[in-house]
Amino acid sequence: MDANKRQRYEKISIELTKLVGGKDNIQGVAHCATRLRIVLKDNDLADLKAIEDVDLAKGVFVAGDQVQIIFGAGLVNDVYEVFADYNNMKNMSLSDLKTEANKKMNPLQRIIKALSDVFVDIMPGILAAALLTGLSGVLGNLEFVKANETLFGINRLINISSGAIFGFLPLAVAYSACKRFGGRPILGIVIGCIMLSDSLANAYSAAQGTVEVTTLHIFGMGVELVGFQGGIIVALLMGFVTAKLDIFFEKKVPEVIRLLISPLLTTLVGALLLFTVIGPVGRGLSSGITNALVWMTQNLGVFGYAVFSGLQQLVVITGLHHIFGAIEAQLLADTGRNFLNPLMSVAIIAQGGAVLAYMVMHRKNVKTRELCIPSFISVLFGITEPALFGVNLRYRFPIIGGCIGGAMGGVVVYLTNLAAVGFGTTVVPGIALADPAGNGYVNYIIAHGVAIAGGFIMTLILGKFMEKTPAETANKRQEEEPEDNNMEEAEVPDKETFFGYAEGQLIAMEDVKDETFANKVLGDGVAVIPEQGKVYAPTDGTITSIFDTKHAVCFASTYGTEILIHIGVDTVKLEGKHFTAHVKDGDLVKKGQLLVEFDKEAIERAGYDTVIPMIFTDLPDEKKLEISAPGKMTVNTVAAVVCKV
């Protein structure tokens, strides 16, 4: 790794460790393709808002009991390497980390976390499909688009693109679930392809009785050759089963034939289970949930409507909502009116209200706005997966607020006898489907207004009580001082003096022969070309952390000014060789106290520059740094002064 990058990642590691509550609060650390994943003993000690502002971090959230910090593909590998080194946890795998996290969660939390993990990886595809669906719906209702051959053709392609993604969503879910549970993702794709094979009757057509279904007889059981379009719950189950089969056969099949036999057995057994056990169970679960919800709306009056619209988005989490299309079609065939469409529509817009409320609560956070705005836009066109999995389910209380708002909208739907004369679109495009009888269009708008307002207000209220506030004491943790230490909390002085921390020649930071230090990437400061291998405390303070490689010390003065003393350039590669630490994390030290000794000559013979920068890493805006002029440096020489602006 490039030395400049290494030093930048060291600063990130130091800051992250502090913001998650210190080394003692870290149970484990690992990474996936884009995220650094940390399991903490106490999540309340992590300052999530401050972590979002860490250099190179693109976002942070808590999933289950993992604090996940998004750095991006490639970069996360390098950050993890340095962070794990710093915290002495480098050999922990992602599987080990999940085991640690799962120990702290109850069964319901584990299920929710697994669902979230599965959908997070495929969220970009869902979001793309959502926006394309909305765009196609809007364009399709414009007369000039219908009349123009080119625009009509473009809109048709947009419609095909959006429909294709959702049409193959079970395949994507099977892939992601297999990957999530430790199997080879390609086998999840294979199972997904089997679920959607052209050799099977289309599930929607079969439900409507418009296609002939072939039945096989295997071991005396009738197996219907019907596809699993919309079968998200089946895809989730099959992804899990495929992963476990893959792990099992990889362990049991002899290595000499493993490459050929293991995937063959996984696919064969998985396919048999799909058609004989998992498929029927998944379909039964789907049918049971759907029928129960429909029964409530038909038999429980306003309460049934409220419960359906309040809980409908929880069904979306499992993917079972795709079954409603067949029920809506049957309702229209039997009665000519579809009461489910407006109920689902108000449930959707209420989740949008929850997203808006969460964004308002965190309006100063740019990354939150970047997440919430596109999620809300997709809600307007009837697609809630980005909002659910990207915001509401992740932070928990918004989805509750959204469900309450949905129930409120459902009450209005019941009281106004609102229904639709078609199905397939909701929210903004869905108004075209509203039954105009009895001021249907006006009632449609009122119901949605109540739902979005209800979701917005309830999320704000719940947020006051349910949102975890990062511990304000996370950055103030330190060991209690001895009784004979008479230092009491004192008013921060107008000026702090930092004395010589090494014997040698004081030089400007710009003169250090390293771009990271010279360009002050880690912060401003001074540097010393040492005459001997000793580093001292530049003032009274506390050792906040010392690297396992002993080449760098993080130090906080009595008044909280933070510095990093870095011995040499790229000396982390020595892995502690030639260094001896005389202090440990949390030690209180006095000015001039010996901190680290190092073999200057041996390090130089190894080809490393032994210059020692002292970097002021986090000076507040109200303070400024005054650097002493270059010259001879001793422990009694003033190196720098920090004073109020």
Side-chain angles (χ1 to χ4, degrees):
M1 185 187 302
D2 180 84
N4 296 336
K5 289 183 179 180
R6 177 86 192 194
Q7 289 161 3
R8 187 177 186 181
Y9 302 154
E10 285 175 357
K11 182 180 180 182
I12 291 172
S13 299
I14 294 167
E15 188 174 3
L16 276 181
T17 301
K18 179 178 68 175
L19 293 176
V20 298
K23 291 184 177 181
D24 291 341
N25 195 41
I26 299 175
Q27 279 190 295
V29 58
H31 74 92
C32 59
T34 59
R35 301 185 295 278
L36 182 69
R37 299 168 177 245
I38 309 172
V39 174
L40 304 177
K41 295 177 183 176
D42 185 354
N43 284 353
D44 288 343
L45 294 180
D47 190 341
L48 299 183
K49 291 183 179 179
I51 292 174
E52 288 183 341
D53 296 325
V54 168
D55 184 27
L56 300 179
K58 298 179 177 66
V60 60
F61 59 92
V62 177
D65 261 15
Q66 290 182 25
V67 174
Q68 299 188 12
I69 307 165
I70 302 169
F71 283 101
L75 175 61
V76 70
N77 301 66
D78 294 337
V79 173
Y80 163 76
E81 181 180 339
V82 177
F83 184 84
D85 273 342
Y86 179 61
N87 289 283
N88 197 29
M89 292 186 173
K90 186 143 184 205
N91 293 323
M92 175 167 279
S93 67
L94 187 57
S95 177
D96 294 333
L97 186 77
K98 289 175 180 176
T99 299
E100 288 295 324
N102 287 341
K103 290 177 181 177
K104 300 174 63 180
M105 297 190 298
N106 60 46
L108 179 59
Q109 288 176 320
R110 293 178 187 177
I111 292 172
I112 293 176
K113 179 184 180 301
L115 285 171
S116 179
D117 285 348
V118 168
F119 282 93
V120 162
D121 281 348
I122 60 178
M123 187 54 59
I126 295 175
L127 183 57
L131 296 178
L132 288 172
T133 299
L135 180 60
S136 176
V138 171
L139 294 177
N141 289 323
L142 300 176
E143 290 300 326
F144 73 88
V145 173
K146 297 178 182 178
N148 185 285
E149 187 177 69
T150 299
L151 294 178
F152 178 83
I154 292 174
N155 188 47
R156 177 64 175 154
L157 292 178
I158 293 173
N159 182 265
I160 291 172
S161 300
S162 62
I165 297 173
F166 279 113
F168 286 90
L169 190 56
L171 186 153
V173 171
Y175 151 80
S176 188
C178 184
K179 178 181 176 182
R180 162 61 178 82
F181 293 109
R184 285 175 286 186
I186 185 61
L187 295 180
I189 292 176
V190 170
I191 290 295
C193 290
I194 295 172
M195 292 176 62
L196 303 176
S197 172
D198 289 340
S199 299
L200 305 174
N202 183 279
Y204 298 125
S205 299
Q208 296 174 16
T210 59
V211 66
E212 183 178 349
V213 177
T214 301
T215 301
L216 301 180
H217 296 279
I218 301 176
F219 300 121
M221 295 186 298
V223 177
E224 294 185 338
L225 298 183
V226 179
F228 295 89
Q229 288 78 12
I232 307 303
I233 193 68
V234 177
L236 283 168
L237 293 172
M238 283 307 305
F240 173 81
V241 169
T242 301
K244 298 308 176 184
L245 288 172
D246 185 32
I247 294 171
F248 175 79
F249 288 124
E250 280 291 292
K251 289 181 179 179
K252 298 300 182 181
V253 175
E255 185 175 356
V256 67
I257 57 173
R258 184 179 300 158
L259 180 62
L260 295 175
I261 302 301
S262 176
L264 182 151
L265 292 175
T266 297
T267 304
L268 177 60
V269 176
L272 288 173
L273 290 174
L274 169 65
F275 289 104
T276 59
V277 180
I278 305 298
V281 169
R283 284 195 175 116
L285 181 60
S286 301
S287 177
I289 293 176
T290 301
N291 291 338
L293 290 172
V294 173
W295 180 88
M296 285 193 301
T297 60
Q298 292 178 332
N299 295 276
L300 300 181
V302 65
F303 177 74
Y305 272 62
V307 170
F308 182 93
S309 56
L311 299 181
Q312 190 268 345
Q313 285 297 294
L314 299 183
V315 179
V316 173
I317 295 173
T318 69
L320 299 179
H321 62 296
H322 293 289
I323 302 299
F324 290 140
I327 299 172
E328 289 180 277
Q330 191 63 51
L331 280 173
L332 288 169
D334 293 342
T335 68
R337 301 179 84 242
N338 173 14
F339 65 87
L340 289 183
N341 180 271
L343 286 178
M344 291 188 289
S345 190
V346 295
I348 290 169
I349 196 64
Q351 294 299 327
V355 169
L356 288 180
Y358 187 82
M359 184 176 70
V360 168
M361 294 173 65
H362 302 85
R363 55 189 173 276
K364 295 182 180 180
N365 190 309
V366 176
K367 294 176 181 177
T368 297
R369 294 200 300 270
E370 291 175 349
L371 176 64
C372 291
I373 291 174
S375 295
F376 178 73
I377 291 173
S378 70
V379 165
L380 294 178
F381 297 108
I383 307 298
T384 52
E385 282 86 350
L388 288 175
F389 296 105
V391 181
N392 296 355
L393 184 62
R394 178 189 299 179
Y395 301 111
R396 293 180 176 84
F397 70 90
I399 197 170
I400 299 174
C403 287
I404 296 174
M408 295 167 65
V411 171
V412 177
V413 171
Y414 176 82
L415 295 177
T416 60
N417 194 29
L418 183 62
V421 293
F423 70 98
T425 61
T426 50
V427 195
V428 174
I431 192 171
L433 301 181
D435 186 348
N439 296 317
Y441 295 132
V442 175
N443 293 334
Y444 187 92
I445 295 172
I446 293 173
H448 284 71
V450 170
I452 191 172
F456 183 88
I457 294 170
M458 290 307 304
T459 300
L460 290 180
I461 294 173
L462 292 172
K464 296 291 184 182
F465 302 98
M466 296 179 64
E467 184 172 34
K468 291 184 178 180
T469 302
E472 296 179 356
T473 58
N475 301 329
K476 301 178 181 178
R477 296 176 63 211
Q478 59 181 19
E479 295 181 359
E480 293 185 0
E481 298 178 358
E483 292 182 4
D484 61 351
N485 190 331
N486 294 320
M487 290 177 60
E488 298 179 355
E489 289 189 8
E491 183 180 349
V492 178
D494 291 341
K495 182 173 70 174
E496 282 187 85
T497 302
F498 290 79
F499 293 89
Y501 55 95
E503 301 277 350
Q505 181 70 27
L506 181 69
I507 63 173
M509 188 70 80
E510 293 87 346
D511 295 331
V512 175
K513 298 175 182 179
D514 178 83
E515 290 184 5
T516 300
F517 293 126
N519 293 329
K520 303 178 183 178
V521 173
L522 306 179
D524 201 357
V526 295
V528 172
I529 299 175
E531 295 177 352
Q532 55 178 287
K534 293 183 179 181
V535 173
Y536 306 92
T539 187
D540 296 348
T542 304
I543 304 298
T544 55
S545 71
I546 183 166
F547 278 62
D548 291 336
T549 49
K550 306 177 186 65
H551 76 292
V553 179
C554 299
F555 176 90
S557 73
T558 301
Y559 303 105
T561 301
E562 299 177 356
I563 63 171
L564 169 65
I565 300 176
H566 197 286
I567 305 171
V569 175
D570 210 20
T571 47
V572 65
K573 294 180 179 179
L574 293 172
E575 298 181 345
K577 187 178 181 181
H578 308 311
F579 291 91
T580 302
H582 293 278
V583 290
K584 63 182 184 300
D585 292 2
D587 281 357
L588 298 173
V589 297
K590 295 290 186 180
K591 169 188 168 293
Q593 182 174 334
L594 181 63
L595 304 181
V596 178
E597 283 188 282
F598 60 96
D599 190 333
K600 177 176 176 291
E601 289 74 22
I603 293 173
E604 290 175 343
R605 285 196 300 270
Y608 296 93
D609 187 344
T610 55
V611 66
I612 310 174
M614 179 173 70
I615 307 153
F616 291 78
T617 57
D618 193 24
L619 278 182
D621 294 337
E622 65 272 13
K623 291 186 177 182
K624 65 178 180 179
L625 180 65
E626 296 179 353
I627 306 298
S628 297
K632 178 70 175 178
M633 174 62 61
T634 69
V635 292
N636 294 314
T637 305
V638 175
V641 175
V642 174
C643 54
K644 290 185 178 180
V645 175

